[in-house]
Amino acid sequence: IALGALCLFALTGVDQAIKALIISVLVTFANPVLFPAQQHVAEFKWLLLLFGLWVAIKAKSSDFRYPAAITISWVLFLSVSLYVSLVFGLSPSLSMFKLASFTLGLVTTFRLAALSQTTLDEWSDFLLVVLLWIAAVSLPLLGTAAGRFINGTGFQGVISHPQSFGTLMAALPVIGFLKSLTSSKRMTYVWMLVAILGTFLVFESESRTAMLSSFFGVCLSSALFYMSNQHRGKGRLAARAFVFCSVVVLIILASGGRDSPLIGGLGSALQKHTSGGLNWDRDTFETLLMSRAGQIGEQSDVIAERPLTGTGFGVQNISQVESSPDSTFMGIPLSSPNEPGFLPLAVQAQVGAIGSLVFWYAIWRMFKAVLKGRQLVAIGLFAVLLGGNWGEAIAFSFGGLGLFMWMILAITVRCSTAKIGVRRNVALSRGQSYYAGALQAGDSL
């Protein structure tokens, strides 16, 4: 019912379609204890995406254009993926359906973002409302079994898995901390509370990927803010960082110091899937990666065996090909999930070295556009969402969190590129005014 309502809502306009795609994560990733799984969810997810594409096609054209390098690089990546999947893939038919769904999602999200006239501040406020709603309805579940249903330790709230919950909540510290740098004195306290709440929930989820991506997003944006010409803002950055760290330390001390549940949760997350406690005298990096050792080893073997071609887009191994898909329509697999793990290895294992190079070039061109836009929240969101692929390659999963990720990334690229255009137009108009003034002065002489 909820997905059906979102489909109808998406048909009412471009911004409504974007909001429906973002909100759909609440329905498709609902905690199964609180919201029992329903039939035909996969079909409705793709129907919603098709409705979004229909809105993008029927909407009035926009003057906005993405940088040519971004468009060309993605077309090239899709072409290389198509070729290696058809010629060298383990299952060309499955790769074709995976590639078609990825292309559908990529075109829909980027086209909708291009057509939207909404500013980044408005979109970040909407995203904040969605994330705070998830946080607010999840907090009462902190002390319940339903809130930690999957593994008994990691907090998942109203979301189906702690990893997914942590990935979503990782954006809260980024948005809250960065907005506190540019907000009024009164709102600063509100944004700091948002950042602290997000940090607390990320730690409770025990998702190392979320911890790393959130930390990376805040640090990268803060470093760029510090290197800017806002000398007055440097003192504000130091003050906010000091307050944030002090509050976190006080919470840990108040809840038991070394025996604090936060410290215990962090230790549990770091030693996930290991035997015994985390021994910092051992190779710590190897210990932290132990839960992904199987995936990394499998992907490394595939890369060694097929360095240039890979196994085909969306196909991880032969067992995925032999297994029956979760959902089909007239024999067509609507859902055949896999867990590719670490994104850089996953890309090369699936589409080979050339496809991997083109993929990362496309990502770099997008990130470069966001950096040029000089909007801290856009930079932070881009970093935290891309960092979410450290432990799980959600980038290729439009049936999962990939839809949420690409929709937000498309918005950050669109708003940043538009910001660059505004600055160029202002500079051009100033130059024209100066030139006209010089001509007028010359005429008067």
Side-chain angles (χ1 to χ4, degrees), residues 217 220-221 224 367 370-371 374-384:
L220 176 63
S221 303
L224 293 173
F367 189 45
V370 173
L371 287 174
R374 302 177 190 174
Q375 299 185 89
L376 290 179
V377 173
I379 297 170
L381 285 175
F382 194 101
V384 75

Side-chain angles (χ1 to χ4, degrees), residues 80-359:
V80 172
S81 299
L82 177 64
Y83 176 76
V84 298
S85 297
L86 283 176
V87 178
F88 306 104
L90 295 178
S91 177
S93 60
L94 180 58
S95 290
M96 289 306 97
F97 291 123
K98 289 275 190 176
L99 192 59
S101 65
F102 180 77
T103 305
L104 168 65
L106 202 66
V107 171
T108 301
T109 52
F110 274 78
R111 182 58 182 163
L112 286 174
L115 293 170
S116 175
Q117 300 297 319
T118 306
T119 65
L120 179 65
D121 286 338
E122 292 172 316
W123 279 124
S124 63
D125 289 343
F126 171 75
L127 177 62
L128 193 63
V129 169
V130 174
L131 297 179
L132 285 177
W133 187 89
I134 296 175
V137 296
S138 296
L139 282 174
L141 300 174
L142 269 174
T144 67
R148 305 178 190 271
F149 171 72
I150 292 296
N151 55 27
T153 58
F155 183 62
Q156 66 191 79
V158 295
I159 304 299
S160 59
H161 198 282
Q163 185 81 8
S164 302
F165 180 79
T167 301
L168 293 172
M169 291 298 102
L172 276 181
V174 175
I175 297 176
F177 186 78
L178 295 179
K179 280 186 174 289
S180 72
L181 297 176
T182 56
S183 62
S184 63
K185 192 172 183 178
R186 179 178 297 178
M187 286 301 298
T188 293
Y189 300 108
V190 176
W191 294 125
M192 291 300 292
L193 285 175
V194 169
I196 292 167
L197 172 65
T199 302
F200 170 74
L201 291 175
V202 167
F203 271 82
E204 283 292 324
S205 73
E206 297 184 0
S207 170
R208 293 167 297 177
T209 301
M211 295 177 193
L212 285 171
S213 62
S214 184
F215 180 76
F216 176 61
V218 171
C219 289
L220 176 63
S221 303
S222 299
L224 293 173
F225 179 79
Y226 183 82
M227 290 187 295
S228 66
N229 295 324
Q230 304 180 41
H231 301 290
R232 183 180 177 184
K234 294 180 180 180
R236 175 175 288 195
L237 172 62
R240 302 298 181 273
F242 176 78
V243 171
F244 177 78
C245 295
S246 298
V247 171
V248 171
V249 170
L250 287 174
I251 292 175
I252 292 174
L253 292 175
S255 58
R258 189 172 183 178
D259 299 324
S260 167
L262 284 178
I263 299 298
L266 177 60
S268 176
L270 294 178
Q271 64 191 33
K272 198 183 299 181
H273 301 287
T274 64
S275 57
L278 187 65
N279 184 356
W280 295 102
D281 295 331
R282 290 159 37 188
D283 188 349
T284 306
F285 186 70
E286 180 182 346
T287 303
L288 297 181
L289 291 180
M290 193 170 293
S291 64
R292 302 293 179 188
Q295 292 174 339
I296 292 174
E298 182 181 19
Q299 289 166 351
S300 299
D301 293 341
V302 169
I303 293 172
E305 182 181 350
R306 296 166 169 255
L308 296 178
T309 61
T311 54
F313 185 89
V315 177
Q316 184 177 356
N317 49 43
I318 193 64
S319 62
Q320 181 192 355
V321 177
E322 295 173 346
S323 62
S324 58
D326 289 358
S327 180
T328 61
F329 175 72
M330 299 178 61
I332 300 174
L334 294 175
S335 176
S336 179
N338 59 65
E339 296 183 1
F342 188 46
L343 182 61
L345 290 179
V347 177
Q348 185 164 352
Q350 292 184 14
V351 296
I354 298 175
S356 178
L357 287 174
V358 178
F359 175 83

Side-chain angles (χ1 to χ4, degrees), residues 4-16:
L6 286 176
C7 288
L8 295 177
F9 179 64
L11 290 173
T12 59
V14 171
D15 285 353
Q16 290 85 344

